[in-house]
Amino acid sequence: MGFKSFIFFIVDIIKGRGAQHNTHNKFLQHQHTMLDDFLNYCETESESADNNKTSYLEIYPKTILNKVTSPDIGFSYSMNPYQGCEHGCIYCYARNTHEYWGYSAGLDFERKILYKVNAPKLLEKKLRSKSWQPQDIMFSGNTDCYQPIEKKLEITRKMLQVLLKLKHPVSMITKNSLILRDLDILKEMAEMNLVRVSISITSLSEETRRVVEPRTASIKKRLETVQVLSENGIPVNVMMAPIIPSINSHEILPLVKKVSELGATSIGYTIVRLNGAIGEIFTNWLRKTYLDRADKILHQIEDCHGGSLNDSRYGNRMRGEGKIAEQINMQFKLARKLYLKDKNFPLLDFSKFDKHQTNQISLF
């Protein structure tokens, strides 16, 4: 029994990644599989079967704003300068969208990053169009606009400059402290009530962060980001999303208390749901990283979604149902009452938008 247990616990972990394999893309007829013969050859030749490097692919889309029709999401449009995300969060619902580009929702999602070099021009063209009326736009409704490559490409910064020039409001969500690079723009926008920022913080434990969100900013950096943004007059909401039972569900009260002390004015949450290929990716990862409680976690997630890991029902998919979901909801209500009672997340001001705004002096 002891020998079998020892063998069972030996698993290969791909360091620095969330997903541990590539799932089959449901839109493709063929799939790529590494055979044992090839792996054995690499072993005998002391070669690596997979270099685990990230590649970046330049694309030129025709549009940058995506209409959001879901009734349980609080914005009208989203815009994402990047497809795929090197942060590698294991639970990320955006993984499934990578299949539309011909890639896997697994490792490909983290290692094949598509960037939209013409995004700023597309945004300005859309906002200046005759038919456009200012509406709620979410920066990073799908993938993080401040993932590592943004430091070099600065696509997000250029898009923010367009929004500031035309005085168009925007909401942002990120889990990267790189957002502080753009503090100059954000401060100016905040003075006109044109920006609100959500910082995603799922845990106060750096150990949990490393395995669940391997290439994100550290918890310390994210907490500092909440504080700096707040001190500079930029409204900050913290998203504790998703709540994963038996991984971070015990941290709700201490986390809300901490971010409130740092200046956050509101808190939001979702319960993890594992739609499409994410169920397979998450389960594979779970059995490698939390082997001692993998079955328990999976059963608790199922308990929140009517007995299934997959939940697409509007109204239920974000908050879940059942006893565990009710307990989580009650904890957030208590946390808001204790730590955010007198705080408000301000509304954006759409009245200042001017599509004719220009940096040039008018001659007439």
Side-chain angles (χ1 to χ4, degrees), residues 321-347:
E321 60 186 6
K323 293 297 183 182
I324 294 175
E326 289 176 8
Q327 291 170 1
I328 291 171
N329 184 49
M330 289 174 62
Q331 288 186 71
F332 271 97
K333 286 183 177 178
L334 177 59
R336 290 187 180 103
K337 184 177 180 180
L338 290 174
Y339 308 120
L340 298 168
K341 185 177 180 180
D342 300 319
K343 296 188 177 184
N344 295 297
F345 201 41
L347 298 175

Side-chain angles (χ1 to χ4, degrees), residues 90-351:
I90 190 60
Y91 52 75
C92 184
Y93 61 83
R95 287 181 176 275
N96 288 320
T97 64
H98 224 45
E99 293 185 341
Y100 301 144
W101 297 88
Y103 299 113
S104 169
L107 282 167
D108 280 354
F109 177 78
E110 307 172 35
R111 304 196 301 197
K112 296 185 183 298
I113 310 301
L114 285 64
Y115 63 94
K116 305 172 184 178
V117 69
N118 62 336
K121 291 182 179 179
L122 289 174
L123 176 61
E124 182 161 1
K125 180 181 179 181
K126 180 64 175 179
L127 298 186
R128 288 188 183 275
S129 65
K130 292 181 179 180
S131 61
W132 179 258
Q133 296 297 321
Q135 299 183 57
D136 297 325
I137 298 176
M138 173 59 74
F139 225 137
S140 299
N142 197 42
T143 55
D144 203 311
C145 62
Y146 282 108
Q147 57 183 283
I149 190 62
E150 166 63 18
K151 186 174 182 180
K152 175 183 178 181
L153 299 181
E154 297 191 353
I155 298 175
T156 296
R157 180 173 177 84
K158 293 170 186 174
M159 294 174 74
L160 278 175
Q161 290 170 337
V162 170
L163 292 163
L164 175 58
K165 180 170 63 176
L166 302 182
K167 296 183 173 60
H168 194 293
V170 71
S171 298
M172 308 184 76
I173 183 167
T174 182
K175 47 175 58 90
N176 198 323
S177 58
L178 180 59
I179 190 174
L180 295 181
R181 177 203 63 188
D182 298 331
L183 195 59
D184 57 333
I185 300 175
L186 297 174
K187 284 174 64 175
E188 194 170 348
M189 293 185 73
E191 289 172 359
M192 294 181 283
N193 237 7
L194 297 178
V195 67
R196 303 189 303 180
V197 174
S198 289
I199 301 297
S200 175
I201 306 177
T202 50
S203 173
L204 291 176
S205 165
E206 184 62 14
E207 181 180 353
T208 299
R209 196 277 309 170
R210 281 197 298 267
V211 293
V212 177
E213 305 168 344
R215 295 203 178 192
T216 57
S218 69
I219 299 302
K220 179 181 178 181
K221 283 288 187 181
R222 278 188 255 180
L223 292 173
E224 289 175 354
T225 300
V226 171
Q227 184 173 18
V228 172
L229 290 172
S230 300
E231 289 175 347
N232 282 275
I234 299 159
V236 180
N237 169 70
V238 168
M239 282 299 294
M240 193 175 178
I243 299 295
I244 307 175
S246 296
I247 291 183
N248 67 342
S249 54
H250 61 287
E251 296 189 70
I252 296 171
L253 287 172
L255 192 148
V256 178
K257 182 177 185 293
K258 181 64 176 179
V259 298
S260 173
E261 293 170 350
L262 295 175
T265 60
S266 67
I267 187 84
Y269 81 96
T270 63
I271 292 178
V272 68
R273 59 190 182 95
L274 306 174
N275 289 17
I278 307 171
E280 178 186 338
I281 294 166
F282 186 91
T283 301
N284 174 273
W285 165 85
L286 192 62
R287 296 199 184 283
K288 290 184 176 182
T289 53
Y290 289 103
L291 184 58
D292 59 327
R293 46 185 152 146
D295 288 333
K296 175 185 176 181
I297 293 170
L298 291 171
H299 291 323
Q300 288 182 334
I301 294 173
E302 290 171 341
D303 185 74
C304 293
H305 298 297
S308 174
L309 296 177
N310 184 330
D311 193 350
S312 298
R313 297 168 297 166
Y314 293 136
N316 285 29
R317 58 181 187 154
M318 301 292 193
R319 292 292 183 263
E321 60 186 6
K323 293 297 183 182
I324 294 175
E326 289 176 8
Q327 291 170 1
I328 291 171
N329 184 49
M330 289 174 62
Q331 288 186 71
F332 271 97
K333 286 183 177 178
L334 177 59
R336 290 187 180 103
K337 184 177 180 180
L338 290 174
Y339 308 120
L340 298 168
K341 185 177 180 180
D342 300 319
K343 296 188 177 184
N344 295 297
F345 201 41
L347 298 175
L348 296 171
D349 185 355
F350 292 86
S351 66

